[in-house]
Amino acid sequence: MKVLIIGGVAGGASAAARLRRLDEDAEIILFEKDEHISFANCGLPYYVGKVIKERDNLLVQTPEGMRERFNIDVRVQCEVKRIIRDKKSVEVYSHATGKTYCETYDKLILSPGAVPFKPNIPGLDHPRVFTLRNIPDVDAIKEFVDQLHPEKVVVVGAGFIGLEMAENLRRRDVEVTIVELADRILPSLDFEMAAIVHQHILEKNVNVIRNNGVHAFHHKDERTVVELTDGQRLYADMVILGIGVRPEVTLAKEAGLDLGVTGGIAADEFLRTSDPDIYAVGDAIEVKDFVSGNPALIPLAGPANKQGRIVANNICGREDRYVSTQGTAILKVFDMAVAVTGLNESFLKKYGIPYMKSISHSSSHAFYYPGSSGLSVKTLFNPEDGKLLGAQVVGSGSVDKTIDAFSIAIRAGMTVFDLEKLELSYAPPFSNAKTPVNIAGYVASNILRGDCNIYYWDDVAKLDPDKSVLVDVRTPFEHKMEGTIEGAINIPIDHLRARFDEIPKDKEIYVFCAIGLRAYVACRILVQKGFKVKNLSGGYKTYSAAYDTLHNIIL
C-alpha cells in the first residue's frame, strides 16, 4: 500500500506516525511545502517574547527524525500543485530543485491546514505587516523585533493569536494597541466574561480599540499609519494581523472534491472526502459541532491530532469514526487564563437552541492557603432538563482543570444537577471541598429548581424604578469603597431581617452582593417572607467589569 500525505504539523504528521505503527511495510510519503513538517504552532508567540528561548524547541519532529524512527519518506520544500484523481497521482513541484514530477498513490491524505485571513485592505502587502502561522512567519517577526526594536505595534484582531502576540510584545517593552472589529476582545467569550479579561489587559498597559476596523495602511519611511474605519489614525513601527484563519482548500477544490457549507473540505465520519481514496484532516475540514450538530470550522490542534490517528486506523482496516468537535480551548493572557468549551450565547442564539445561563465566582483553592485567586465561571444549560451546552472560565489558577471537567461533562451529556454530585479532588493547596465545578452546578440547579430567580448585568439598565428596588446587601464599607449600582439602597445581609420595613412588598426586589452568594441568602430570606426577589447573576463583580468595559471606563 502506498499512502501520500499532503501537509504535516498536527494532522499529517500524526497520521504518518500512526500509519507506520500499524503497517511496517506501507510506502508512506509526506509532502511539506515548507522546511518544517511538525512544529508547535501554539508556541510561536512565546518565541517572539523570549519565553521559549531556543528556536529548535519549537520543532516537534524533524524530517530526519521521521525518517529514522518511522521510515517515512519526508519531502520538504515539495509543494503538491495538483491532484489527478483519475490517475490516482499528484503533481509535485520541488522548490529545492525547481523540477516538477508526479507521484502515484493508493490512498491520499489531505492535511493542508489553514491560512491567515487577509482582507482586501490597501497597504496590506508590505514588509511591516506580518501574519503568524508558521516558522518562517515567526522568524520574520522575531528578526524585525530583535534588530529594529519597534516602539509601537498595532495588533489587528483580539482573538487568541492577537492577545498572545500582545502579551509577548509587551514582554519586549513594546507599546501595543489592539484593534478589534467586534464589541469585545476574545469574541469566542460572552461579553461579561470578555470584560474581565479586558480590564486585566488594560492593567498591563495594552491599549484596546473595539467596534472599529482597519480602513487602510499608509506606509512612509520607517513608520506605518493605520487608518481606522472611523477615521482615527494610529502610528506603528510594525503591524501584526491576527484576524483569524480560513481553511486551505485550493487543492481539494481544483480536484473537484466536495466542500461543505462552511467552505471547509467535506468529510464523512470516517474522514473520507467525496473521493473514497482521499481522506482529509485538520484545520482544512468541516466538522460537526458537538453541541448543536451543525457544520462548523474549528481549527484546533487536539482535534487535528485525533483525526490523523483515525484516518490511519481506517486506511489500515481498523474502522474508526470522528464524531464531532467540541471546541475546548484555553489561552494565557498575562497573569490570567481564559478557557471555553461548547457553545457561547451567540452560537446558541444563531442555532435557535433554548438556553439559560448562570455566573459563579469561586476561589481557585482554599482561601486560607496562600496563593488563592479568583475564578469566574459561566455555565450555559438547557432550561428544561439542565443539560450542559457550554462553559467559559476566566481566572488566575485552576482554569485548565475546571474547563476540562466541564468538557468531559458536556461530552458525557451531563446536566447541571450532575455537576452538584461530581466527586472531585480536594486539598487546600489545590481546590475547595466544594470545587468551582460543584459551585457552578449548585448555582445553576438553584435557578432550575426555582430556589432563586435571577437577573443579569445588562438587565439593570432596563429596570423601572417605579416598579422595582435595587438592594445592595454588601457591607457599608464595600458599598462605599468599591462602588455600587446607581440608585441601590444598602442593607447588609446580616441586618436584613431587622430592616424588612425598608423594603416595599409591592415592588420587585433586585438584590446583589459581590459575587452572588450573600444575595442568594437574601433571596431565600425575602422569598419566604412574601417578597418578589431576583438575584444578580455573578454579582457586582460581573456587573462592574461589564459596565466599565461597555462604557470604556478605565480604573
Side-chain angles (χ1 to χ4, degrees):
M1 179 172 60
K2 184 177 181 180
V3 182
L4 304 185
I5 304 172
I6 301 174
V9 197
S14 62
R18 178 66 173 171
L19 278 168
R20 177 58 72 222
R21 291 196 296 270
L22 296 178
D23 188 341
E24 182 62 25
D25 298 320
E27 182 180 359
I28 306 168
I29 304 174
L30 190 155
F31 299 102
E32 174 54 57
K33 64 181 179 180
D34 296 321
E35 296 180 18
H36 310 284
I37 59 164
S38 184
F39 57 91
N41 296 71
C42 301
L44 300 180
Y46 301 98
Y47 178 56
V48 175
K50 294 186 176 181
V51 178
I52 298 172
K53 300 187 184 302
E54 298 298 328
R55 182 177 180 274
D56 287 350
N57 290 340
L58 296 170
L59 306 179
V60 178
Q61 184 58 275
T62 64
E64 295 75 21
M66 289 289 281
R67 292 188 191 104
E68 292 173 5
R69 180 165 297 179
F70 297 107
N71 189 27
I72 291 170
D73 184 353
V74 178
R75 302 181 186 179
V76 294
Q77 293 185 292
C78 286
E79 184 174 358
V80 176
K81 293 289 190 179
R82 191 159 62 106
I83 301 170
I84 310 166
R85 289 170 55 195
D86 58 347
K87 295 182 180 180
K88 295 188 73 171
S89 69
V90 298
E91 182 181 282
V92 185
Y93 173 75
S94 170
H95 289 277
T97 66
K99 296 181 179 179
T100 298
Y101 64 95
C102 287
E103 197 73 57
T104 60
Y105 63 84
D106 295 311
K107 301 292 182 183
L108 177 65
I109 302 174
L110 295 177
S111 179
V115 293
F117 178 67
K118 299 178 73 173
N120 186 22
I121 298 175
L124 185 70
D125 295 320
H126 188 275
R128 284 198 295 274
V129 180
F130 299 84
T131 58
L132 181 60
R133 186 65 184 172
N134 53 33
I135 296 291
D137 290 343
V138 79
D139 285 342
I141 292 171
K142 190 167 185 297
E143 182 181 11
F144 190 98
V145 175
D146 288 349
Q147 295 186 4
L148 299 181
H149 308 291
E151 295 179 0
K152 296 184 178 183
V153 174
V154 170
V155 175
V156 183
F160 278 38
I161 288 293
L163 292 192
E164 286 174 340
M165 282 305 306
E167 175 184 348
N168 283 282
L169 287 167
R170 286 296 300 135
R171 287 181 58 88
R172 302 292 302 271
D173 295 321
V174 177
E175 182 181 318
V176 179
T177 297
I178 298 174
V179 178
E180 171 55 52
L181 187 61
D183 65 349
R184 73 202 72 174
I185 63 168
L186 292 171
S188 57
L189 289 181
D190 292 324
F191 188 90
E192 68 274 25
M193 300 299 286
I196 299 172
V197 189
H198 187 137
Q199 296 295 319
H200 181 66
I201 65 173
L202 291 181
E203 292 170 1
K204 300 299 181 179
N205 297 314
V206 174
N207 303 314
V208 180
I209 298 173
R210 296 169 294 130
N211 293 303
N212 218 333
V214 175
H215 176 69
F217 297 107
H218 304 286
H219 308 285
K220 185 177 181 181
D221 300 327
E222 301 302 316
R223 301 295 293 274
T224 293
V225 177
V226 183
E227 182 185 351
L228 304 186
T229 51
D230 68 352
Q232 188 175 170
R233 298 167 78 87
L234 306 174
Y235 294 89
D237 301 304
M238 70 184 298
V239 175
I240 307 288
L241 283 184
I243 52 180
V245 297
R246 59 175 178 80
E248 176 53 89
V249 299
T250 305
L251 269 178
K253 187 176 181 179
E254 291 178 351
L257 298 177
D258 291 348
L259 302 183
V261 295
T262 62
I265 300 171
D268 65 13
E269 59 185 342
F270 303 104
L271 298 171
R272 291 177 305 209
T273 67
S274 52
D275 185 321
D277 291 318
I278 301 178
Y279 294 77
V281 299
D283 296 353
I285 72 169
E286 178 178 275
V287 296
K288 182 169 72 172
D289 172 70
F290 177 80
V291 174
S292 69
N294 287 291
L297 295 172
I298 306 178
L300 292 170
N305 273 287
K306 295 175 182 68
Q307 292 158 10
R309 180 183 177 90
I310 288 170
V311 161
N313 287 347
N314 286 317
I315 288 175
C316 292
R318 296 189 178 192
E319 188 176 284
D320 200 355
R321 291 174 169 82
Y322 186 79
V323 179
S324 56
T325 302
Q326 199 169 315
T328 304
I330 191 167
L331 167 72
K332 178 183 178 295
V333 185
F334 293 98
D335 304 323
M336 290 188 113
V338 180
V340 298
T341 189
L343 296 180
N344 61 21
E345 284 197 64
S346 298
F347 277 103
L348 289 168
K349 290 174 182 175
K350 175 182 176 181
Y351 297 139
I353 299 174
Y355 70 93
M356 291 189 74
K357 57 188 177 181
S358 65
I359 299 171
S360 54
H361 301 284
S362 308
S363 57
S364 57
H365 59 259
F367 70 90
Y368 53 82
Y369 188 89
S372 175
S373 59
L375 197 68
S376 301
V377 178
K378 181 168 184 176
T379 311
L380 298 147
F381 51 95
N382 185 290
E384 296 297 323
D385 58 10
K387 186 176 180 179
L388 289 162
L389 303 172
Q392 300 162 34
V393 183
V394 175
S396 300
S398 72
V399 172
D400 53 348
K401 70 177 181 180
T402 302
I403 203 67
D404 286 345
F406 272 103
S407 178
I408 294 167
I410 291 173
R411 181 67 64 162
M414 295 171 71
T415 70
V416 295
F417 305 111
D418 294 318
L419 297 184
E420 294 181 296
K421 301 175 179 66
L422 285 180
E423 186 176 333
L424 302 172
S425 61
Y426 160 65
F430 303 106
S431 189
N432 294 281
K434 295 177 182 177
T435 71
V437 176
N438 296 138
I439 293 294
Y442 293 138
V443 171
S445 298
N446 284 340
I447 296 168
L448 289 181
R449 292 189 180 108
D451 291 340
C452 183
N453 292 324
I454 55 171
Y455 66 109
Y456 302 100
W457 73 271
D458 51 348
D459 291 327
V460 173
K462 308 168 192 172
L463 297 181
D464 183 348
D466 294 329
K467 298 178 181 179
S468 60
V469 175
L470 280 161
V471 179
D472 182 349
V473 299
R474 297 174 300 161
T475 66
F477 179 82
E478 291 173 280
H479 178 85
K480 180 179 180 181
M481 300 304 295
E482 296 178 8
T484 190
I485 299 174
E486 185 177 356
I489 60 173
N490 182 214
I491 305 178
I493 180 64
D494 295 335
H495 302 165
L496 188 61
R497 291 180 180 88
R499 296 172 63 178
F500 282 153
D501 59 337
E502 299 178 38
I503 306 173
K505 279 197 172 182
D506 61 341
K507 294 185 178 183
E508 191 142 32
I509 312 305
Y510 292 83
V511 297
F512 66 93
C513 64
I515 62 173
L517 177 58
R518 285 172 289 176
Y520 167 66
V521 175
C523 274
R524 296 305 303 149
I525 294 170
L526 292 169
V527 163
Q528 295 177 75
K529 292 299 180 179
F531 292 92
K532 295 178 291 184
V533 193
K534 290 186 177 181
N535 181 12
L536 177 59
S537 185
Y540 187 71
K541 178 175 181 176
T542 296
Y543 172 84
S544 60
Y547 181 90
D548 291 348
T549 299
L550 182 67
H551 296 280
N552 290 312
I553 297 172
I554 301 174
L555 300 178

